[in-house]
Amino acid sequence: TTTWRERVERRKKWDAKSDALKKEAAAIVRMIDTPIEGTQAEVAKERLARWQRAVELYVHCPEDSVVNLLKLLEKLIEGCGEEDELLETLSQASQTCTSLVDQTSLAVRDATDAMSEAEDAYHIKLEAHTMLANRAADQSEKIEEQFRTNGKAALKIGQQLEMAEAKKRQC
């Protein structure tokens, strides 16, 4: 199980990466369609790097993403002439996707753990409030009982004083 501090650090890194990707979103999308020059190996490497950034944008910022996954896949395999090149590109893309799935799974697990801890804290707080309310109710009942007991005694004393005064008047 992970500690709270580790989860917070991971969340900060996730948020920082998401913020950076949001800021670069327009450039990332534009770069997908920008032609790449260089040797075949350089082109393949750059195409994969651009594809990876676009997929990260899609994963980290799904609500802001204008990235189309089918278009990304087309751009990834575009220009792969030989079967070996296509297999290598798809293998690297698969590793990228696996890494993103692992990161996302960890983020979900962290969020689940955080919610579980928040729920536990809420239950503890609720239990403490229940105990406090029960204690206040018990004290209130004791005060009420004392009032009844002391009130009856005061009433008797008052009645006795009235009777004594009435007898005094008769005499």
Side-chain angles (χ1 to χ4, degrees):
T1 197
T2 60
T3 67
W4 174 81
R5 197 174 309 264
E6 291 169 331
R7 285 197 316 266
V8 168
E9 286 303 312
R10 280 195 298 268
R11 181 60 195 211
K12 284 180 184 176
K13 287 179 184 175
W14 179 275
D15 290 345
K17 184 158 193 163
S18 296
D19 290 343
L21 287 166
K22 280 181 188 177
K23 289 176 184 172
E24 298 175 32
I28 291 170
V29 172
R30 191 174 49 253
M31 292 301 287
I32 290 292
D33 294 320
T34 305
I36 304 168
E37 294 183 14
T39 66
Q40 189 173 357
E42 291 171 343
V43 169
K45 184 178 179 182
E46 180 62 22
R47 187 174 54 239
L48 185 63
R50 290 179 181 185
W51 179 85
Q52 181 177 353
R53 293 295 286 170
V55 170
E56 287 174 342
L57 175 64
Y58 181 81
V59 169
H60 281 266
C61 310
E63 66 283 350
D64 299 330
S65 184
V66 292
V67 176
N68 178 319
L69 288 180
L70 287 177
K71 181 181 173 189
L72 281 180
L73 185 58
E74 288 173 6
K75 289 294 182 179
L76 177 67
I77 60 176
E78 163 183 294
C80 291
E82 298 178 20
E83 188 176 326
D84 288 345
E85 184 183 356
L86 178 62
L87 286 174
E88 179 61 26
T89 299
L90 291 176
S91 173
Q92 290 175 351
S94 175
Q95 289 172 2
T96 297
C97 289
T98 300
S99 174
L100 284 170
V101 166
D102 290 345
Q103 291 172 25
T104 305
S105 295
L106 187 57
V108 168
R109 192 171 334 119
D110 286 348
T112 302
D113 290 348
M115 289 308 302
S116 178
E117 285 180 5
E119 181 184 21
D120 290 346
Y122 173 76
H123 283 292
I124 290 169
K125 187 176 181 180
L126 186 63
E127 186 65 29
H129 281 281
T130 301
M131 291 171 68
L132 183 64
N134 287 341
R135 188 177 311 140
D138 289 345
Q139 288 174 346
S140 177
E141 285 177 19
K142 286 179 185 175
I143 291 170
E144 185 180 353
E145 185 59 36
Q146 286 176 348
F147 177 76
R148 285 187 190 145
T149 303
N150 293 340
K152 287 178 185 176
L155 188 61
K156 281 185 181 179
I157 292 171
Q159 288 172 347
Q160 288 174 352
L161 286 172
E162 283 180 10
M163 286 176 61
E165 218 171 287
K167 283 184 185 178
K168 203 179 192 187
R169 280 189 220 142
Q170 289 177 349
C171 295

